């Protein structure tokens, strides 16, 4: 599943200052019944976005036209819970290319990197600054610069660098995923397989 | 160099190490189910790949299967469609498939060990985060996303940075009425839901050596709930005893060779962990959760902590209690409950049904309680019948359902209605996990049983004493 290359994304951002946002909130299990990867963005944060009768919950951030953009900023321990890649698909399909938080759950982070959503882990202090900047001015732009590995609040110029391993970075810059890599070394894998006892 | 158990198994599966990148990591055994595999199979086709080793993958249907009338066609068209896709994909690529109605069908993490697919020293993955269950056998087992399911199908490898290592020791003896589920919920409450993120855990100490294989599976199953990639326990005589003679375990000479290897699977004395924690088994009470993540658990006789006494954001904490409709300072014991769910890959094994039966025997289900008792597999269901547990259940006014994930994630019809309070032996109490608006209290099968007969949250020790006296 190829995805669009990621280089520099400059955009306004949607703040979600809640901790431990789990994958059941990002996409509830009842929306996992598709056999194709289609339409998951519509059900992103489904139960926070809509009432049972499918009318919008006015107070949820995604229903507030003041906030939009390609960057989602979440509280600590974002993406905990299940391994469903559907959560990352929903984030991507909705239109986010980047999730910023002070801490990510492992599987969610790996899933994001595999499908073209960049997880940017910042310090708790910097996360607070981003929330404050957006709170003061919802039009605040955030620049996520993958080649430089920096994230910058454009209005104040405040910036922080973030980590990503060079293999994943290369992948994101080129729109490659792990399957591309693995299929290239298949004969090496087959040789290895003959050494396994079971 | 000295190695931990985890190092030994991990290092022997690295095909290639990428500098400043992940390891190319070989997978011995791969489980798939209907929900997280269809898109992976589509990916294989669209890339023109094939399934490299079909005999290393095992398919079972469990996540959205009904738990009554399994002999009838599945009503929900979307679920039926996923089940059909699994069946067709398995048939197309020659993968063994234990679909609905098959005598080996059940929850993936229950049928794997039952059939000897789970072995010490193996690497095991599945598109389900509770794959960590299989670590109970000294395997490295963890959940993966759908892209990775596609990787394993087409190349038998995934790309993983090696996690850090943590050892959690629990020594001493467990108190009366304290089960493996309580040990796990206690550890998670101490570490929080992110306390082990980035780590792979080894559980060690008397409490785990004395535990049955079922108990060890419950503990390893819940590793993910503290953020860990997985958890494992060194294999010992109990492990070998459990797996010996199962349908897919090595036999004859192959068994002897395997045993020689398995005996080496323990952490060397001077091996170092990145983090080590030690707890005392005697400090653990029967546990129950009160909030919307598994880290929000307390001893059942305790009261809900004040926001000022918890770590982390007060707003998030209050939102959580608001969802549960609980207040700071509330006692858990005595809270009226609507539903009781016994089942899931956490507590859907025979031992869990034995524990449940030990309390309800000779009593009656409380009128206000709707109870769903769901075995983890047909094999568990058979044992329930053989051991006379079914009679105990029926006499107490309960019924037994057919195997599947059921109300653990409420993808089938088993949904707890909005606002209703459930005591559940499953693994997640997230908002809406058991149905939109449902409220979940995670606990052991003993707590679930005690609650099922009294209708309110009940300390099982009070009823167990009656049984013993
Ligand atoms: S019982 Fe629950 S946690 Fe276990 S495999 Fe099924 S859905 Fe996943």
């Amino acid at each position: 599943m190829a995805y669009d290359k990621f280089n520099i994304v400059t955009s306004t951002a949607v703040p979600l200052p809640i901790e431990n946002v789990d994958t059941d909130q990002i996409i509830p299990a009842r929306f996992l019944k598709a056999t194709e990867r289609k339409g998951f963005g519509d059900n992103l944060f489904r139960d926070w976005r809509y009432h049972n009768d499918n009318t919008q919950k006015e107070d949820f951030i995604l229903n507030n036209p003041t906030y939009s953009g390609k960057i989602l900023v979440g509280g600590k321990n974002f993406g905990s819970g299940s391994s469903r890649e559907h959560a990352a698909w929903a984030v991507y399909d909705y239109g986010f290319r980047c999730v910023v938080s002070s801490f990510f759950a492992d599987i969610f982070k790996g899933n994001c990197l595999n499908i073209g959503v960049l997880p940017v882990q910042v310090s708790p202090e910097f996360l607070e600054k981003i929330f404050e900047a957006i709170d003061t001015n919802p039009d605040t732009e955030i620049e996520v610069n993958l080649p430089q590995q920096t994230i910058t609040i454009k209005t104040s110029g405040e910036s922080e660098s973030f980590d990503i391993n060079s293999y994943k970075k290369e992948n994101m810059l080129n729109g490659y995923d792990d399957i591309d890599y693995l299929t290239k070394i298949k004969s090496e894998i087959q040789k290895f397989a003959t050494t396994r006892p079971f | 160099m000295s190695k931990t158990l985890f190092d030994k198994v991990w290092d022997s599966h690295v095909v290639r190490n990428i500098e400043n990148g992940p390891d190319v990591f070989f997978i011995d055994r791969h489980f798939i189910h209907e929900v997280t595999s269809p898109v992976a199979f589509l990916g294989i086709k669209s890339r023109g790949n094939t399934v490299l080793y079909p005999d290393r993958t095992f398919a079972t249907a469990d996540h959205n299967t009904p738990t009554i009338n399994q002999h009838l066609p599945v009503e929900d068209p979307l679920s039926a469609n996923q089940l059909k896709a699994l069946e067709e994909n398995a048939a197309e690529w020659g993968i063994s498939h234990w679909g609905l109605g098959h005598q080996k069908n059940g929850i993936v993490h229950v049928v794997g060990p039952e059939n000897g697919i789970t072995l010490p020293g193996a690497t095991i993955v599945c598109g389900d985060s509770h794959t960590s269950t299989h670590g109970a056998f000294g395997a490295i087992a963890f959940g993966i996303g759908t892209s990775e399911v596609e990787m394993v199908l087409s190349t038998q490898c995934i790309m993983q940075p090696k996690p850090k290592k943590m050892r959690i020791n629990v020594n001493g003896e467990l108190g009366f009425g304290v089960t493996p589920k309580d040990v796990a919920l206690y550890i998670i409450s101490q570490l929080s839901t992110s306390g082990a993120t980035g780590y792979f855990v080894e559980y060690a100490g008397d409490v785990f050596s004395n535990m049955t294989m079922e108990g060890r599976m419950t503990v390893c199953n819940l590793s993910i709930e503290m953020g860990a990639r997985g958890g494992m326990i060194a294999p010992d005589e109990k492990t070998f005893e459990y797996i010996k003679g199962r349908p897919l375990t090595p036999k004859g000479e192959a068994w002897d060779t395997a045993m020689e290897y398995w005996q080496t699977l323990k952490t060397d004395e001077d091996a170092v962990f990145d983090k080590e924690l030690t707890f005392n088994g005697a400090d653990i009470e029967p546990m129950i959760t009160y909030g919307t993540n598994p880290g929000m658990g307390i001893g059942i006789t305790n009261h809900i902590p004040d926001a000022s006494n918890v770590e982390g954001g007060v707003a998030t904490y209050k939102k959580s209690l608001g969802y549960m409709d609980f207040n700071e300072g509330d006692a858990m014991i005595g809270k009226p409950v609507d539903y009781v769910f016994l089942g899931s890959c956490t507590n859907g094994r025979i031992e869990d049904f034995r524990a449940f039966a030990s309390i309800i025997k000779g009593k009656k289900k409380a009128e206000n309680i709707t109870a769903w008792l769901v075995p983890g597999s047909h094999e568990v269901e058979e044992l329930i019948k053989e051991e006379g547990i079914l009679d105990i259940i029926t006499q107490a006014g309960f019924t037994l359902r057919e195997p599947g994930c059921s109300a653990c994630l409420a993808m089938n019809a088993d949904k707890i209605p909005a606002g209703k309070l459930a005591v559940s032996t499953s693994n997640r109490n997230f908002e809406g996990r058991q149905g939109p608006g449902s409220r979940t209290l995670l606990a052991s099968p003993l707590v679930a049983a005690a609650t099922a007969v009294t209708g309110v949250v009940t300390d099982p020790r009070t009823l167990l004493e009656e049984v013993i006296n």
Side-chain angles (χ1 to χ4, degrees):
Chain A
M1 197 78 58
Y3 53 86
D4 293 338
K5 295 176 186 179
F6 194 111
N7 200 281
I8 299 171
V9 167
T10 307
S11 162
T12 49
V14 178
L16 192 63
I18 298 171
E19 291 173 17
N20 304 319
V21 171
D22 60 73
T23 49
D24 278 85
Q25 308 317 316
I26 300 175
I27 186 146
R30 61 188 191 282
F31 299 110
L32 308 184
K33 295 194 180 183
T35 49
E36 288 173 283
R37 191 187 143 179
K38 256 205 258 172
F40 286 102
D42 297 340
N43 296 317
L44 176 70
F45 293 115
R46 181 77 199 193
D47 292 339
W48 285 352
R49 246 164 102 192
Y50 298 99
H51 293 288
N52 282 348
D53 60 3
N54 290 332
T55 55
Q56 287 196 353
K57 292 187 177 173
E58 295 302 328
D59 55 353
F60 186 60
I61 198 86
L62 290 185
N63 295 328
N64 184 340
T66 316
Y67 303 97
S68 63
K70 292 185 182 153
I71 300 169
L72 177 64
V73 189
K76 189 179 114 189
N77 196 24
F78 194 90
S80 58
S82 106
S83 61
R84 58 187 72 158
E85 193 167 304
H86 313 66
W89 297 341
V91 169
Y92 185 96
D93 294 349
Y94 185 87
F96 292 118
R97 286 308 306 279
C98 176
V99 184
V100 180
S101 176
S102 57
F103 199 80
F104 287 96
D106 270 343
I107 304 184
F108 177 77
K109 187 173 173 182
N111 285 340
C112 281
L113 284 165
N114 260 329
I115 64 140
V117 172
L118 182 66
V120 173
Q121 185 162 329
V122 297
S123 66
E125 296 75 33
F126 197 73
L127 186 70
E128 272 317 304
K129 281 185 189 161
I130 300 176
F131 281 137
E132 277 164 27
I134 303 173
D135 198 37
T136 318
N137 176 9
D139 294 328
T140 302
E141 285 197 318
I142 311 282
E143 179 195 275
V144 178
N145 185 321
L146 179 57
Q148 301 286 338
Q149 293 178 224
T150 55
I151 173 167
T152 309
I153 305 171
K154 296 294 270 186
T155 40
S156 65
E158 283 167 296
S159 185
E160 197 171 89
S161 59
F162 62 87
D163 271 347
I164 178 170
N165 72 52
S166 52
Y167 164 82
K168 285 288 179 193
K169 180 174 173 180
E170 218 33 48
N171 272 0
M172 288 288 284
L173 288 170
N174 293 298
Y176 297 156
D177 62 17
D178 290 347
I179 305 178
D180 299 321
Y181 184 96
L182 289 171
T183 35
K184 275 190 221 131
I185 60 163
K186 205 147 127 190
S187 55
E188 186 181 333
I189 295 170
Q190 283 170 303
K191 215 164 116 213
F192 183 90
T194 61
T195 66
R196 290 301 308 148
F198 39 76
Chain B
M1 213 186 88
S2 313
K3 286 185 163 195
T4 67
L5 163 65
F6 173 73
D7 289 325
K8 290 179 186 177
V9 182
W10 182 279
D11 296 350
S12 64
H13 288 84
V14 175
V15 177
R16 178 193 272 204
N17 178 274
I18 299 171
E19 220 189 307
N20 193 15
D23 289 341
V24 175
F25 191 63
F26 189 83
I27 302 303
D28 294 318
R29 306 273 159 111
H30 180 212
F31 296 109
I32 56 173
H33 59 83
E34 73 277 24
V35 175
T36 55
S37 69
V39 174
F41 282 105
L42 286 183
I44 290 182
K45 285 237 166 98
S46 68
R47 289 180 200 247
N49 281 333
T50 56
V51 176
L52 188 59
Y53 297 118
D55 54 347
R56 288 185 180 273
T57 293
F58 303 83
T60 180
D62 55 5
H63 276 59
N64 65 23
T65 52
T67 55
I68 45 167
N69 293 327
Q70 290 190 346
H71 59 288
L72 299 178
V74 175
E75 274 175 29
D76 174 1
L78 294 173
S79 297
N81 198 27
Q82 280 192 329
L83 295 170
K84 191 166 135 253
L86 183 69
E87 186 179 349
E88 288 172 357
N89 287 324
E92 175 170 1
W93 297 106
I95 293 165
S96 92
H97 173 239
W98 299 338
L100 198 57
H102 192 287
Q103 119 206 35
K104 287 190 185 292
N105 177 257
I107 304 174
V108 51
H109 310 311
V110 177
V111 300
E114 274 174 0
N115 287 284
I117 300 171
T118 306
L119 296 175
T123 51
I124 300 171
V125 293
C126 172
D128 180 281
S129 53
H130 295 94
T131 308
S132 56
T133 311
H134 308 269
F137 294 81
I140 288 183
F142 54 86
I144 56 174
T146 298
S147 293
E148 290 166 313
V149 173
E150 185 183 337
M151 289 172 215
V152 180
L153 289 170
S154 56
T155 69
Q156 208 57 41
C157 286
I158 53 174
M159 308 197 58
Q160 287 287 312
K162 188 175 177 181
K164 288 182 284 184
K165 291 161 285 182
M166 180 189 290
R167 181 158 60 189
I168 297 179
N169 307 288
V170 185
N171 296 315
E173 294 233 1
L174 292 179
F176 178 63
V178 178
T179 70
K181 178 68 164 283
D182 302 305
V183 175
L185 286 176
Y186 175 82
I187 297 172
I188 301 165
S189 76
Q190 298 296 308
L191 270 85
S192 88
T193 49
S194 59
T197 303
Y199 291 90
F200 209 98
V201 173
E202 179 180 342
Y203 298 98
D206 327 330
V207 163
F208 304 110
S209 345
N210 293 335
M211 229 175 237
T212 60
M213 288 314 294
E214 281 88 353
R216 292 178 191 181
M217 283 190 253
T218 300
V219 170
C220 288
N221 173 282
L222 288 162
S223 305
I224 180 76
E225 304 309 336
M226 50 188 177
R229 209 62 230 276
M232 67 200 300
I233 295 174
D236 59 10
E237 285 312 314
K238 272 188 199 159
T239 320
F240 307 137
E241 186 61 32
Y242 182 99
I243 58 177
K244 193 162 191 183
R246 303 232 166 218
L248 289 157
T249 34
K251 308 269 162 13
E253 236 176 85
W255 171 266
D256 298 335
T257 323
M259 271 299 273
E260 251 173 67
Y261 169 57
W262 292 338
Q263 306 277 10
T264 67
L265 292 178
K266 41 173 109 41
T267 292
D268 297 333
E269 287 224 347
D270 42 359
V272 202
F273 289 83
D274 299 289
K275 196 167 183 178
E276 182 140 15
L277 298 170
T278 301
F279 299 104
N280 183 353
D283 292 343
I284 307 174
E285 257 205 289
M287 296 285 293
I288 193 157
T289 65
Y290 57 88
T292 55
N293 73 56
M296 299 172 81
I298 44 176
I300 194 161
T301 56
N302 291 345
H303 293 227
I304 296 177
D306 286 344
S308 53
N309 291 337
V310 296
E311 276 177 48
V314 171
T316 303
Y317 184 74
K318 295 211 162 174
K319 177 176 183 295
S320 177
L321 289 192
Y323 179 85
M324 293 302 292
D325 200 14
F326 290 166
N327 296 306
E328 296 163 52
D330 280 4
M332 292 309 291
I333 289 181
K335 277 196 186 294
V337 171
D338 309 295
Y339 281 75
V340 166
F341 172 54
L342 173 68
S344 88
C345 60
T346 311
N347 284 125
R349 298 188 179 78
I350 186 61
E351 197 174 277
D352 304 311
F353 280 82
R354 285 184 198 135
F356 192 90
S358 75
I359 289 206
I360 62 157
K361 190 170 183 184
K363 299 197 174 55
K364 284 278 176 226
K365 181 181 81 61
E367 293 226 333
N368 58 312
I369 295 285
T370 304
W372 291 334
L373 314 186
V374 186
S377 69
H378 281 302
E379 189 167 321
V380 173
E381 190 184 8
E382 282 312 308
L383 287 172
I384 290 171
K385 291 179 186 159
E386 262 171 43
E387 295 186 10
I389 295 173
L390 183 60
D391 299 331
I392 298 174
I393 288 174
T394 322
Q395 278 157 17
F398 296 90
T399 50
L400 185 68
R401 298 172 82 92
E402 293 171 281
C405 294
S406 180
C408 173
L409 91 166
M411 265 191 91
N412 67 356
D414 307 345
K415 293 181 175 55
I416 311 287
K420 297 290 182 197
L421 190 62
V423 168
S424 175
T425 65
S426 55
N427 41 59
R428 287 192 173 134
N429 50 353
F430 297 151
E431 285 183 29
R433 167 81 178 185
Q434 298 197 283
S438 62
R439 302 182 297 145
T440 302
L441 308 178
L442 299 176
S444 74
L446 290 179
V447 172
T451 303
V453 292
T454 58
V456 298
V457 172
T458 300
D459 186 338
R461 291 171 296 192
T462 54
L463 297 183
L464 280 170
E465 272 159 27
E466 277 176 37
V467 174
I468 287 163
N469 291 336

